[in-house]
Amino acid sequence: MAEAHQAVAFQFTVTPEGIDLQMSHQALTEIYLSGMRSWKKRIIRLKNSVITGVYPASPSSWLFVVIAILATMYTRSDPSMGLIAKIQEHLPVSQSMSTQCQAVVSAVLFSTMLWLLLIFTMRLCLKQLLSYHRWMFEQHGKMSNTTKVWVALVRIFSGRKPLLYSYQGSLPNLPVPAIKDTVKRYLESVRPLMDDTKYERMTKLAEEFESSLGNRLQWYLKLKALWASNYVSDWWEEYIYLRGRSPIMVNSNYYGMDFLYVTPTPIQAARAGNSIHAFFLYRRKLNKEEIKPWLLRSAVPCCSYQFERMFDTCRIPGTLTDTVQHWQDSDYIVVYHRGRYFRLRVYQAGRLLSPREIEFQIQRILDDPSPPCKGEAKLGALTAGDRIPWAKARMKYFSSGVNKRSLDCIEKAAFFVALDDDEQGMMGDDPAASLDRYAKSLLHGKCYDRWFDKSFSVVYYKNGKNGINAEHSWADAPVLSHLWEFTLAFDSFQLGYNAEGHCKGDVDSSLPRPQKLSWEIPPECEEQISQSLAVAQALADDVDFHVFPFQDFGKGKIKKCRVSPDAFIQMALQLAYYRDQKRFCLTYEASMTRLFREGRTETVRSCTNESRAFVQAFDGGEAADVCSRLFRTALEKHQLLYRLAMTGAGIDRHLFCLYVVSKYLGVESPFLKEVLSEPWRLSTSQTPVQLSEMFDPVNHPEYVSPGGGFGPVADDGYGVSYCVVGDCMINFHISCKRSCPVTDTHKFGAQIRKALHDLLQLLSPTQKEPSKVEESRPEVKKDL
């Protein structure tokens, strides 16, 4: 094979005359340039480590301190109050060094210690400042004088031009709430879901726990909080994600969609060329820490540690628990097409391939007529089925030889790419149904044409549409959506396409062909692949999806009513669920805790006493003024719960960690056991739009993405993801199980639409009912 020969730097042949040595200059050049690229990355990482390590100061400030100290010394004053002389006395120097030189060295050492002390002090001050959260509870648009002073101090101590990880050392640790506060809030959260008898029983269990075992467990948790950066995150990753033995496809992984109304090019290989190039440009910015830290209100930083494992990461199956493996920058991706896996190098002679060159290589894979190896076509089903069979198969059949080399290639790749022969997107005579099929394709595909263990897999369809599927353990959706928004925007507005729809630029036709991976799959392994595929296929067939863009109004009209768009949507979901199921349920809304170091998420329990009172009054036909008052009370309560969750005073992560401690100690808690077994029949999440500055909603309003979604958490419940886009659109992704006779995504979607209109009418009774806006637009093909 040509690529195999090019990978060898030299060859030798033993002859009667001696050894004939043949050097490959091309291969040696490739090795040299690859080494240079590696060293450049190390230098950049070292430089960034220094800059981040001394933040909020700067390396140049050290020189300023040294010069200032030396200048004061030459004016015959001693700013060190005798410390420089003490350092000079104990300085281990040779006799050849003059007294003046010793004094300078001592001054430099003192200046360095003073500089480090100043850095430590500034960082400690910033950490204390960032522990202040009263600003979040103040009325929107009204800032107290205390908060104004606080904002000014935060900006002073934050330094200038922070890198992505600059704030990490200054972020406060997640506080451990008091047991009595958590128990009180928990009982309040379950009151609307229980009758008097059940609530009285739960109250007794809670009181017994609080007065006995709870304090013992809390002591261990506080001890962990003193030692660890975050008392929740490592246990959350391990026990919620990595120790789950059921399939991660549908149950854990989630997806993101392409533009709704626009396809930048109908050419599959060209779309892949531009976006793959954009992915690697993002990785370059990530390695250089050039991505701006996420700041709330342009002042309060959020934790960035989840970005570290975005690329070159894979989940590795184990019999007891999985692990997340992260490698250094890979220079290739793995591409799946028609049952075959290809290794595609995206760096040549030390440079990143241009979009046109990547398109050329992708087209080579599309045109490759070679058949899959025996057992290769549906190999990816192992990652879609149960984890224990996959772990055993990996150990038995992929721990040596060619299978290990090929599997290592997939797992160590920068990310995974799937080239589908299907067409997806909003299209055809039934655009609503096409969006539902699009969502299912991204979430599970054919159950064997994705590698669900990779940190993320990108799917490119035959008609130029694309999408992304992500593994959940390494990071939460807002982190991946940042990457996805950058890629979509850079693909369309920065790179663009020529008149024929191809990537711009020239191509080097001498590029080595993508390397097809080889496999030797025994019949026993094929049997396991078939079993995993059967499990995954049954799970995929059972998932029902409904995706729809709601365009009758958006956050623009909601904000005019002076209410939070998120709280408004959550109340609409409560009303819709009650109308759909004739009952209330435990509701999960994901909130972030990234104001704290290594923070991930917390739960907002959206079904409250206040929301229940409003829904019953509104659906029972109470007077409009009564309903309006109850509605605003419910909205205020939801906002309070959301803010408490963001500031570390949530319920569920604390109870979860107490439960983990109880298991380590080998003690049983009836209270914790019951709390952790309660099903979330309505699981919701908002996908935030973060890089709005990269899009132009005025000149290009059609360039909107409907966001993404996830599978249902409970077998008899709904999963709802929503994305607020601009002022006039809210996109919904609804999922449930077809096997459940009481859930239906389309019926629930209709209830959500009705609830949104009803609530807006309640807040604006003089406003006319908005006319029905067509949910679909003709698909637009754009060549930029």
Side-chain angles (χ1 to χ4, degrees):
M1 295 170 62
E3 62 273 10
H5 288 295
Q6 291 170 357
V8 179
F10 65 90
Q11 301 175 11
F12 66 89
T13 306
V14 180
T15 66
E17 291 77 21
I19 297 177
D20 181 18
L21 184 65
Q22 297 179 350
M23 305 291 290
S24 171
H25 293 287
Q26 181 181 354
L28 289 175
T29 302
E30 183 71 25
I31 291 171
Y32 168 76
L33 292 172
S34 178
M36 290 296 294
R37 176 170 159 264
S38 177
W39 275 104
K40 286 179 181 178
K41 287 181 178 179
R42 291 178 186 176
I43 292 171
I44 290 172
R45 287 195 180 101
L46 178 62
K47 182 193 75 171
N48 288 342
S49 296
V50 172
I51 294 173
T52 300
V54 302
Y55 195 83
S58 64
S60 59
S61 63
W62 172 82
L63 186 61
F64 174 81
V65 174
V66 170
I67 292 173
I69 295 297
L70 290 174
T72 55
M73 286 180 62
Y74 280 103
T75 60
R76 300 187 180 276
S77 59
D78 186 6
S80 70
M81 294 180 291
L83 286 176
I84 293 177
K86 286 288 185 183
I87 294 172
Q88 188 172 349
E89 288 178 13
H90 297 86
L91 196 65
V93 294
S94 63
Q95 296 297 326
S96 59
M97 185 177 291
S98 65
T99 305
Q100 186 177 7
C101 187
Q102 292 178 24
V104 171
V105 172
S106 301
V108 170
L109 289 175
F110 170 77
S111 302
T112 302
M113 289 188 290
L114 178 62
W115 179 65
L116 293 174
L117 181 62
L118 289 172
I119 292 171
F120 177 78
T121 304
M122 290 177 66
R123 186 172 289 184
L124 190 63
C125 291
L126 183 57
K127 192 169 188 175
Q128 291 301 313
L129 286 168
L130 295 177
S131 299
Y132 170 85
H133 295 128
R134 277 182 52 193
W135 61 272
M136 193 174 291
F137 295 89
E138 294 176 348
Q139 188 175 349
H140 187 68
K142 295 183 179 180
M143 188 182 295
S144 66
N145 291 331
T146 303
T147 300
K148 290 178 181 178
V149 172
W150 171 78
V151 170
L153 289 173
V154 167
R155 288 176 175 167
I156 290 171
F157 281 95
S158 290
R160 298 171 57 193
K161 298 181 180 179
L163 299 176
L164 177 62
Y165 303 119
S166 291
Y167 289 108
Q168 292 300 101
S170 303
L171 291 173
N173 290 359
L174 183 68
V176 181
I179 282 278
K180 64 177 183 178
D181 293 339
T182 297
V183 169
K184 179 183 177 182
R185 291 184 186 124
Y186 169 77
L187 290 174
E188 186 182 352
S189 73
V190 297
R191 187 65 187 95
L193 308 174
M194 296 180 176
D195 57 30
D196 293 342
T197 304
K198 289 182 179 179
Y199 183 71
E200 185 178 349
R201 173 181 167 275
M202 181 56 75
T203 301
K204 288 181 180 179
L205 288 175
E207 289 174 350
E208 289 174 7
F209 172 77
E210 182 183 347
S211 61
S212 57
L213 181 60
N215 291 322
R216 182 186 174 196
L217 301 180
Q218 179 82 343
W219 185 87
Y220 282 98
L221 209 54
K222 286 184 176 180
L223 188 64
K224 185 191 177 186
L226 289 173
W227 177 256
S229 300
N230 190 297
Y231 79 93
V232 176
S233 293
D234 57 339
W235 284 349
W236 187 254
E237 180 177 309
E238 180 178 358
Y239 292 105
I240 298 301
Y241 294 117
L242 299 180
R243 289 213 178 195
R245 302 294 80 194
S246 59
I248 61 174
M249 182 198 78
V250 174
N251 294 324
S252 179
N253 285 29
Y254 56 95
Y255 68 86
M257 284 185 169
D258 192 7
F259 293 123
L260 190 60
Y261 302 116
V262 172
T263 304
T265 177
I267 301 174
Q268 184 178 18
R271 190 74 194 280
N274 260 10
S275 62
I276 290 172
H277 184 83
F279 277 121
F280 278 92
L281 290 180
Y282 186 93
R283 190 180 75 168
R284 181 184 294 172
K285 290 170 68 70
L286 187 62
N287 289 338
K288 293 181 178 181
E289 299 184 32
E290 293 175 351
I291 297 170
K292 295 179 181 178
W294 189 19
L295 302 178
L296 295 183
R297 297 197 180 182
S298 303
V300 187
C302 293
C303 181
S304 301
Y305 98 102
Q306 294 182 53
F307 284 86
E308 294 175 3
R309 297 182 293 178
M310 182 176 286
F311 293 89
D312 319 290
T313 299
C314 191
R315 178 171 175 160
I316 308 299
T319 52
L320 178 63
T321 180
D322 294 353
T323 56
V324 177
Q325 293 267 354
H326 175 68
W327 291 271
Q328 291 299 327
D329 296 340
S330 173
D331 63 353
Y332 68 92
I333 57 175
V334 167
V335 181
Y336 177 91
H337 178 243
R338 292 183 181 175
R340 304 149 315 156
Y341 294 86
F342 294 86
R343 171 176 172 158
L344 172 56
R345 291 175 62 92
V346 293
Y347 282 87
Q348 178 73 13
R351 68 172 180 86
L352 177 63
L353 296 184
S354 69
R356 183 70 184 90
E357 289 172 325
I358 297 175
E359 177 191 353
F360 177 73
Q361 295 289 69
I362 293 292
Q363 192 62 50
R364 279 178 160 179
I365 293 173
L366 291 170
D367 296 338
D368 191 312
S370 61
C373 298
K374 186 175 181 295
E376 178 185 14
K378 299 179 179 179
L379 180 63
L382 290 171
T383 69
D386 290 322
R387 303 305 292 174
I388 293 177
W390 170 210
K392 291 180 177 178
R394 187 179 187 275
M395 180 69 67
K396 187 174 182 179
Y397 305 115
F398 299 91
S399 58
S400 62
V402 64
N403 287 349
K404 184 181 187 304
R405 290 193 295 272
S406 295
L407 182 61
D408 283 348
C409 185
I410 294 175
E411 292 176 343
K412 295 179 180 179
F415 53 91
F416 188 82
V417 169
L419 302 175
D420 274 23
D421 288 333
D422 299 332
E423 296 186 356
Q424 296 291 352
M426 181 183 280
M427 58 187 185
D429 298 331
D430 191 353
S434 68
L435 275 181
D436 300 345
R437 290 192 299 270
Y438 185 21
K440 283 180 65 66
S441 175
L442 287 174
L443 187 65
H444 55 69
K446 297 175 182 176
C447 303
Y448 59 80
D449 52 353
R450 317 277 186 262
W451 201 267
F452 294 101
D453 288 351
K454 284 298 289 181
S455 55
F456 65 91
S457 302
V458 191
V459 186
Y460 297 98
Y461 295 101
K462 190 176 181 180
N463 60 339
K465 280 291 181 188
N466 66 4
I468 195 166
N469 179 288
E471 199 276 319
H472 208 328
S473 65
W474 63 274
D476 300 308
V479 174
L480 188 81
S481 68
H482 191 277
L483 163 70
W484 190 236
E485 287 177 34
F486 173 89
T487 304
L488 290 177
F490 206 88
D491 167 18
S492 298
F493 298 112
Q494 302 295 324
L495 297 175
Y497 301 87
N498 63 23
E500 291 78 29
H502 292 283
C503 299
K504 297 176 181 178
D506 299 321
V507 63
D508 181 5
S509 58
S510 65
L511 289 172
R513 298 184 66 86
Q515 178 184 354
K516 184 178 178 297
L517 301 185
S518 299
W519 306 88
E520 294 176 358
I521 309 296
E524 298 85 2
C525 185
E526 288 189 74
E527 178 63 26
Q528 183 55 63
I529 292 172
S530 299
Q531 292 176 13
S532 293
L533 180 59
V535 170
Q537 194 65 59
L539 181 60
D541 292 343
D542 195 27
V543 176
D544 184 32
F545 255 97
H546 181 41
V547 180
F548 66 92
F550 181 83
Q551 302 175 76
D552 296 348
F553 61 87
K555 71 176 182 182
K557 286 187 178 179
I558 297 173
K559 282 188 172 183
K560 287 181 180 178
C561 300
R562 297 187 177 182
V563 298
S564 159
D566 181 73
F568 182 92
I569 295 170
Q570 285 292 324
M571 290 307 108
L573 292 175
Q574 289 298 312
L575 179 59
Y577 186 87
Y578 182 76
R579 289 170 171 175
D580 182 68
Q581 298 291 315
K582 308 304 179 188
R583 62 175 178 174
F584 296 95
C585 74
L586 193 61
T587 305
Y588 182 112
E589 182 189 4
S591 165
M592 69 100 174
T593 56
R594 288 171 60 193
L595 293 175
F596 304 96
R597 189 168 184 177
E598 296 183 14
R600 290 197 62 161
T601 60
E602 178 57 277
T603 305
V604 179
R605 295 183 169 222
S606 301
C607 183
T608 61
N609 292 316
E610 291 79 3
S611 67
R612 174 178 178 143
F614 159 69
V615 169
Q616 288 179 327
F618 187 76
D619 210 50
E622 292 284 348
D625 59 334
V626 175
C627 291
S628 180
R629 176 175 52 81
L630 291 173
F631 183 44
R632 290 191 178 274
T633 302
L635 292 174
E636 289 172 5
K637 183 56 180 283
H638 182 270
Q639 283 292 89
L640 174 64
L641 293 177
Y642 202 97
R643 289 161 179 160
L644 287 171
M646 287 186 67
T647 53
I651 302 170
D652 290 276
R653 299 302 179 268
H654 186 203
L655 292 174
F656 161 75
C657 288
L658 291 171
Y659 180 76
V660 173
V661 174
S662 73
K663 289 300 180 182
Y664 276 125
L665 297 178
V667 294
E668 287 292 330
S669 168
F671 171 70
L672 290 177
K673 186 176 182 180
E674 192 152 334
V675 169
L676 271 294
S677 63
E678 293 169 342
W680 300 98
R681 290 191 173 90
L682 183 56
S683 181
T684 70
S685 179
Q686 179 182 177
T687 304
V689 177
Q690 302 172 78
L691 294 176
S692 55
E693 71 275 4
M694 293 190 69
F695 296 89
D696 186 357
V698 176
N699 297 319
H700 299 285
E702 68 274 18
Y703 282 87
V704 294
S705 170
F710 52 89
V713 174
D715 290 340
D716 58 348
Y718 291 107
V720 181
S721 174
Y722 53 94
C723 180
V724 180
V725 183
D727 289 334
C728 303
M729 178 184 285
I730 307 170
N731 294 300
F732 287 92
H733 301 247
I734 309 171
S735 64
C736 73
K737 294 288 184 71
R738 288 195 172 110
S739 56
C740 179
V742 298
T743 56
D744 185 296
T745 57
H746 289 78
K747 288 183 179 179
F748 190 45
Q751 293 288 8
I752 292 174
R753 288 188 188 90
K754 186 176 187 306
L756 289 168
H757 282 295
D758 289 346
L759 295 186
L760 185 69
Q761 188 71 18
L762 176 66
L763 292 177
S764 306
T766 58
Q767 184 174 327
K768 294 181 180 180
E769 183 76 12
S771 59
K772 179 73 176 177
V773 179
E774 213 37 56
E775 288 181 9
S776 62
R777 303 181 191 176
E779 173 71 11
V780 180
K781 306 289 185 182
K782 290 283 184 179
D783 296 328
L784 297 178

